[in-house]
Amino acid sequence: MDKNFTYKYDDLFNPLLRAIKNLGGSGAVSEIEEEVAKILNLSEDAINEIHRESTTKLTYRLAWARNYLKRYGILENSSRGVWALTEKGQKTEEVDQVKVKKAVVKKDRE
């Protein structure tokens, strides 16, 4: 993999889901980020690539991915900085990126 962080937020849906499952169904943002980096086998350069000012691209795009999966109904923000799988999320092994995006966009229009 090249040293640049090339994943878009929706490319992170399934690694994010897998990471939370690996962590036992919930985790702090930092733990989840670390686990996703491991799953994707990211280099230090890719992990630390800056998006804007002090936020990394990984942190920024994972925040969007979490938001989409929350609105899709498989993640919940159980307490500040802690994310957990919902009942639906626990039963979900993988999501279809296109379906998730369409469902969230549709929800926004309602």
Side-chain angles (χ1 to χ4, degrees), residues 11-30:
D11 294 330
L12 297 172
F13 291 167
N14 288 310
L16 173 58
L17 184 57
R18 201 168 321 126
I20 296 173
K21 284 182 182 281
N22 291 355
L23 293 167
S26 70
V29 170
S30 57

Side-chain angles (χ1 to χ4, degrees), residues 2-57:
D2 72 10
K3 74 180 196 97
N4 292 336
F5 188 76
T6 55
Y7 294 93
K8 298 189 306 285
Y9 75 94
D10 54 325
D11 294 330
L12 297 172
F13 291 167
N14 288 310
L16 173 58
L17 184 57
R18 201 168 321 126
I20 296 173
K21 284 182 182 281
N22 291 355
L23 293 167
S26 70
V29 170
S30 57
E31 294 174 310
I32 295 167
E33 194 171 303
E34 220 170 272
E35 191 64 26
V36 168
K38 243 189 271 176
I39 289 167
L40 296 175
N41 199 22
L42 297 176
S43 66
E44 281 299 311
D45 285 344
I47 293 167
N48 297 318
E49 192 176 333
I50 297 298
H51 171 63
R52 290 205 185 107
E53 292 168 24
S54 62
T55 304
T56 67
K57 287 184 179 183

